[in-house]
């Protein structure tokens, strides 16, 4: 990067952080730290919800996903709008009426202590692991730019976010996320325009899409039902619905965002905004990756996009073999460039026969190019068995740093950093919420002062931040980060969602039945994942259904069909929850 890019990067980051710190000044209570005093308007809620989900992983890995696998990942989000409707009708009114800090407080009153503890523990486990992955994503950027070991950049990024979150709490997170999303949208639109602008003058936007389509990258909709297909219309609508419903309805990193709304209506509007904007936003990000793929039909792409790994092999005993692979890649590029130019001519002339011929030729050349990449990966591993051989996360970053103009490089990297800070800060804030509210305040110090809980929240944030940094050290083993995060969530979200749906809709089922059902369901989901029984999105559906069905069967089998706890029956529930819950159940 040039000195101008560094100035743009530093000014953008410092300005956003200082703004968030300034807006969060005067914070004295745990409610301020965790929920921003529940006084934020709907647009704050909506942008904060989006920013929490849109981490650096989104802006690093999603374009790489589009580049390598095309547009089909967009189907993952097709269940999102329906999930937002269900959340607005069911989840938000219940959480707001009970005036809870975390979603899991509700479960103690509805069921019992052990069910609340189990659900909160499952959340802490998956969110701690996921947040570690979100720290790793921006560390990739710093490592690439500065050409230093990624472990050092992981420590740096993790440390910065810990300090920022510990000081500012939920209010700083929310206010900075609002500005972040504005900058992010502007930067993404400009980046998409720049990719098209850098194509040859005779290649228009529609031509770029035609090229991508002929090479199988415009695969937006797949209507074939297949349990082993990760991304199709059915897995997106059904599996995606269950995943999004659990993520936004039971994951404290998101529940904590819309609990900051000043009313039920404001929280609902924020979620509806997210449901309307998220799919177009994700479509644009994947499209950028597809356009970058088209761009590299006219500019030779690296054999491998991770420059750190390439620099290692270029100074190894395998240097000559690597150079031979690069020469082969260059030869294939020249053939592919000629085929693409001929394809464009056929498209402009309306020559369908020429289009089909060039399409087959391009697909064959691309297949040969993939063989070269496989050979490159094998050589990297031969040189270093511990090498990071998944370079999907480096594709867009490589393009940005090499081809975009001075100033824009710094802005786009600032965008990725901002996304990471916002998402990671939300994750750490939610981990602190669940730790202090669901365990520390309930089991260790139930009658402590407000300052004690605030101090515990800050120290909890530090502790979870250190845990997430450790996770980030191993994140390179997970492959494409955006897939890894969603697979990880799918291992837990179905079970957690099943517990909440039993609580909401199956009033005759008690705590012991749902507790046992949840343990069995989680064990089955882990088994299904380890044995590749089905694509990961379906794990959310199966986990939820197993909990609901099995809980009902256990309740029937116990001979206690009507023994579920009634409102106010659990004397160990907190006084606030007990009084508010009685109002809800009476209604």
């Amino acid at each position: 990067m040039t000195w101008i890019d560094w100035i743009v990067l530093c000014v953008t980051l410092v300005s956003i952080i200082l703004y968030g710190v300034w807006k969060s000044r005067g914070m004295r209570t745990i409610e301020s730290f965790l929920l921003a005093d529940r006084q934020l308007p709907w647009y704050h809620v909506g942008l904060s919800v989006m920013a929490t989900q849109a981490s650096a992983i989104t802006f690093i890995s999603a374009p790489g996903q589009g580049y390598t696998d095309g547009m089909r990942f967009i189907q993952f989000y097709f269940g999102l709008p329906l999930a937002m409707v269900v959340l607005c009708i069911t989840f938000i009114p219940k959480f707001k009426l009970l005036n809870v800090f975390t979603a899991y407080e509700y479960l103690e009153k509805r069921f019992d202590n052990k069910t609340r503890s189990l659900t909160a523990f499952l959340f802490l486990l998956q969110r701690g692991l996921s947040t570690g992955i979100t720290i790793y994503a921006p560390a990739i950027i710093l490592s690439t730019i500065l050409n230093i070991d990624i472990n050092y950049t992981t420590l740096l990024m993790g440390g910065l976010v810990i300090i920022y979150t510990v000081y500012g709490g939920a209010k700083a997170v929310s206010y900075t996320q609002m500005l972040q999303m504005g900058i992010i949208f502007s930067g993404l639109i400009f980046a998409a325009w720049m990719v098209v602008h850098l194509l040859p003058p005779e290649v228009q936007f529609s031509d770029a899409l035609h090229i991508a389509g002929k090479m199988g990258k415009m695969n937006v909709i797949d209507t074939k039902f297949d349990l082993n297909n990760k991304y199709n219309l059915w897995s997106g609508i059904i599996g995606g619905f269950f995943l999004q419903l659990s993520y936004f309805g039971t994951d404290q990193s998101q529940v904590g965002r819309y609990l900051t709304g000043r009313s039920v209506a404001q929280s609902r509007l924020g979620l509806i905004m997210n449901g309307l904007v998220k799919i177009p936003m994700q479509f644009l990000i994947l499209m950028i990756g597809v356009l970058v793929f088209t761009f590299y039909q006219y500019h030779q792409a690296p054999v491998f996009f991770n420059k750190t790994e390439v620099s290692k092999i270029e100074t190894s005993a395998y240097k000559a073999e690597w150079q031979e692979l690069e020469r082969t890649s260059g030869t294939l590029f020249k053939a592919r460039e000629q085929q693409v130019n001929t394809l464009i001519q056929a498209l402009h002339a309306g020559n369908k026969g020429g289009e089909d011929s060039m399409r087959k030729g391009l697909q064959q050349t691309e297949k040969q190019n993939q063989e070269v990449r496989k050979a490159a990966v094998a050589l990297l591993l031969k040189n270093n068995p511990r090498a990071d051989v998944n370079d999907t996360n480096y594709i867009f970053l490589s393009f940005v740093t090499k081809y975009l103009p001075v100033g824009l490089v710094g802005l786009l990297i600032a965008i990725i950093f901002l996304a990471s800070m916002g998402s990671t800060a939300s994750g750490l804030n939610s981990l602190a919420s669940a730790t202090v509210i669901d365990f520390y305040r309930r089991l260790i110090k139930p009658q402590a002062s407000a300052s004690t809980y605030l101090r515990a929240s800050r120290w909890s944030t530090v502790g979870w931040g250190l845990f997430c940094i450790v996770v980030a050290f191993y994140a390179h083993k997970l492959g494409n980060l955006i897939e890894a995060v969603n697979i990880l969530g799918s291992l837990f979200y179905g079970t957690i969602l099943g517990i909440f749906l039993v609580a909401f809709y199956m009033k005759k089922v008690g705590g012991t039945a749902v507790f046992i059902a949840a343990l069995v369901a989680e064990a089955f989901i882990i088994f299904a994942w380890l044995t590749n029984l089905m694509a990961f999105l379906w794990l959310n559906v199966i986990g939820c259904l197993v909990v609901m069905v099995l809980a009902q069967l256990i309740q029937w089998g116990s001979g206690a069909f009507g023994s579920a706890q009634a409102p106010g029956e659990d004397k160990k529930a907190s006084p606030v929850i007990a009084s508010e819950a009685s109002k809800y159940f009476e209604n």
Side-chain angles (χ1 to χ4, degrees):
M1 292 204 310
T2 67
W3 63 270
I4 296 177
D5 290 311
W6 280 109
I7 290 175
V8 172
L9 172 61
C10 293
V11 168
T12 303
L13 291 178
V14 171
S15 299
I16 292 291
I17 292 172
L18 290 179
Y19 175 75
V21 170
W22 177 70
K23 293 296 288 187
S24 62
R25 66 194 186 282
M27 184 172 53
R28 295 290 183 270
T29 67
I30 188 174
E31 191 161 30
S32 296
F33 186 81
L34 299 180
L35 296 179
D37 293 318
R38 308 179 196 261
Q39 290 299 313
L40 298 182
W42 67 270
Y43 52 88
H44 269 275
V45 173
L47 291 172
S48 186
V49 165
M50 291 179 62
T52 297
Q53 190 178 25
S55 67
I57 295 171
T58 303
F59 303 105
I60 292 177
S61 295
Q65 182 79 9
Y67 181 99
T68 58
D69 196 38
M71 295 293 296
R72 69 188 188 121
F73 184 72
I74 191 64
Q75 297 169 109
F76 170 82
Y77 295 97
F78 283 0
L80 177 63
L82 181 58
M84 295 300 99
V85 172
V86 174
L87 289 169
C88 288
I89 295 172
T90 305
F91 286 68
I92 290 179
K94 294 179 180 180
F95 291 153
K96 295 290 281 187
L97 179 61
L98 293 176
N99 201 36
V100 296
F101 280 91
T102 74
Y104 319 111
E105 289 181 86
Y106 166 75
L107 296 177
E108 179 179 348
K109 185 58 193 174
R110 172 60 180 87
F111 294 124
D112 49 35
N113 288 336
K114 65 178 182 293
T115 305
R116 174 184 178 180
S117 297
L118 172 64
T119 312
F121 171 77
L122 292 176
F123 159 73
L124 289 172
L125 180 59
Q126 70 86 13
R127 181 48 51 195
L129 295 172
S130 297
T131 304
I133 298 174
T134 65
I135 290 177
Y136 176 71
I140 292 175
I141 302 172
L142 274 184
S143 175
T144 301
I145 294 172
L146 302 178
N147 196 29
I148 60 177
D149 192 290
I150 196 168
N151 289 329
Y152 297 126
T153 58
T154 299
L155 284 171
L156 176 61
M157 288 306 303
L160 286 175
V161 176
I162 289 172
I163 294 170
Y164 163 67
T165 311
V166 166
Y167 182 85
K171 190 173 289 187
V173 171
S174 179
Y175 275 98
T176 54
Q177 283 177 332
M178 186 177 70
L179 286 183
Q180 288 166 15
M181 291 309 296
I183 297 172
I184 285 169
F185 279 127
S186 302
L188 285 175
I189 292 171
F190 194 46
W193 180 84
M194 279 301 305
V195 178
V196 178
H197 178 71
L198 291 170
L199 292 170
E202 67 274 11
V203 180
Q204 303 301 314
F205 176 68
S206 59
D207 295 329
L209 296 184
H210 276 299
I211 294 170
K214 296 299 181 183
M215 299 184 73
K217 302 299 181 181
M218 296 302 295
N219 48 345
V220 178
I221 302 292
D222 181 357
T223 58
K224 183 179 179 181
F225 184 86
D226 183 359
L227 286 176
N228 294 312
N229 184 355
K230 291 185 292 186
Y231 308 117
N232 58 47
L233 182 65
W234 309 110
S235 67
I237 292 178
I238 302 172
F241 166 75
F242 279 83
L243 174 60
Q244 304 292 352
L245 187 62
S246 184
Y247 174 53
F248 287 100
T250 70
D251 189 312
Q252 184 60 27
S253 67
Q254 286 292 3
V255 174
R257 303 283 67 77
Y258 56 76
L259 286 181
T260 61
R262 64 168 62 116
S263 67
V264 171
Q266 296 292 301
S267 295
R268 281 173 167 168
L269 285 172
L271 279 186
I272 290 172
M273 172 186 174
N274 175 67
L276 292 175
V277 177
K278 178 62 179 178
I279 294 179
M281 172 183 160
Q282 199 65 40
F283 187 91
L284 173 61
I285 296 171
L286 287 169
M287 180 63 71
I288 290 173
V290 170
L291 292 173
V292 169
F293 175 84
T294 302
F295 171 86
Y296 277 121
Q297 307 311 303
Y298 292 96
H299 301 78
Q300 186 172 352
V303 175
F304 196 75
F305 283 93
N306 186 341
K307 293 191 296 184
T308 302
E309 295 295 341
V310 171
S311 64
K312 292 177 183 178
I313 200 165
E314 286 179 338
T315 57
S316 73
Y318 302 101
K319 177 181 178 180
E321 295 178 56
W322 184 262
Q323 290 176 337
E324 180 60 30
L325 288 174
E326 289 183 324
R327 282 192 289 270
T328 303
S329 178
T331 301
L332 290 172
F333 164 70
K334 291 177 181 178
R336 187 171 64 245
E337 185 180 25
Q338 181 60 46
Q339 290 169 332
V340 169
N341 287 328
T342 305
L343 173 63
I344 292 298
Q345 293 171 5
L347 283 170
H348 290 172
N351 182 357
K352 298 296 183 182
E355 288 182 37
D356 291 338
S357 175
M358 285 302 100
R359 176 180 58 81
K360 294 176 181 177
L362 278 169
Q363 290 175 348
Q364 181 61 33
T365 305
E366 179 62 18
K367 183 178 180 180
Q368 293 174 317
N369 187 61
Q370 291 303 316
E371 292 300 320
V372 172
R373 280 179 54 83
K374 289 179 181 178
V377 168
L379 197 60
L380 288 169
L381 289 172
K382 189 176 180 181
N383 179 56
N384 177 17
R386 299 179 61 186
D388 180 5
V389 293
N390 189 309
D391 65 341
T392 306
N393 303 312
Y394 293 85
I395 292 173
F396 185 55
L397 179 60
S398 175
F399 167 79
V400 166
T401 54
K402 187 173 182 179
Y403 292 103
L404 292 192
V406 172
L408 183 59
V409 176
L411 177 61
L412 284 178
I413 292 177
I415 285 173
I416 297 172
F417 278 178
L418 289 172
S420 171
M421 291 171 62
S423 179
T424 306
S426 293
L428 293 180
N429 186 255
S430 66
L431 289 166
S433 300
T435 301
V436 173
I437 300 300
D438 294 302
F439 292 99
Y440 181 80
R441 191 175 74 169
R442 182 168 60 94
L443 302 176
I444 300 175
K445 287 194 174 182
Q447 301 298 328
S449 64
S451 61
T452 299
Y453 293 135
L454 178 59
R455 185 165 56 252
S457 298
R458 295 186 189 278
W459 279 112
S460 178
T461 302
V462 173
W464 278 110
L466 295 175
F467 173 84
C468 293
I469 289 174
V470 173
V471 173
F473 286 146
Y474 298 93
H476 68 277
K477 300 179 181 295
L478 301 176
N480 184 278
L481 298 181
I482 196 166
E483 279 195 325
V485 167
N486 288 304
I487 290 172
L488 182 60
S490 296
L491 297 180
F492 300 94
Y493 281 146
T495 301
I496 296 174
L497 178 61
I499 294 171
F500 274 90
L501 292 185
V502 171
F504 291 159
Y505 299 113
M506 300 168 67
K507 299 300 183 183
K508 299 296 184 179
V509 176
T512 299
V514 76
F515 180 83
I516 296 172
L519 290 176
V520 173
E522 190 58 37
F524 176 76
I525 290 301
I526 298 298
F527 168 78
W529 174 62
L530 291 175
T531 57
N532 293 316
L533 198 59
M534 63 192 72
F536 74 88
L537 275 175
W538 292 107
L539 298 177
N540 299 279
V541 183
I542 300 302
C544 179
L545 294 179
V546 168
V547 171
M548 297 178 72
V549 173
L550 189 57
Q552 185 65 79
L553 292 176
I554 292 173
Q555 190 68 40
W556 282 340
S558 69
F561 182 86
S563 65
Q565 291 153 311
E569 189 174 304
D570 186 354
K571 303 302 182 184
K572 295 182 180 180
S574 68
V576 173
I577 299 176
S579 61
E580 295 294 339
S582 63
K583 298 177 187 176
Y584 167 72
F585 284 110
E586 287 170 3
N587 292 332

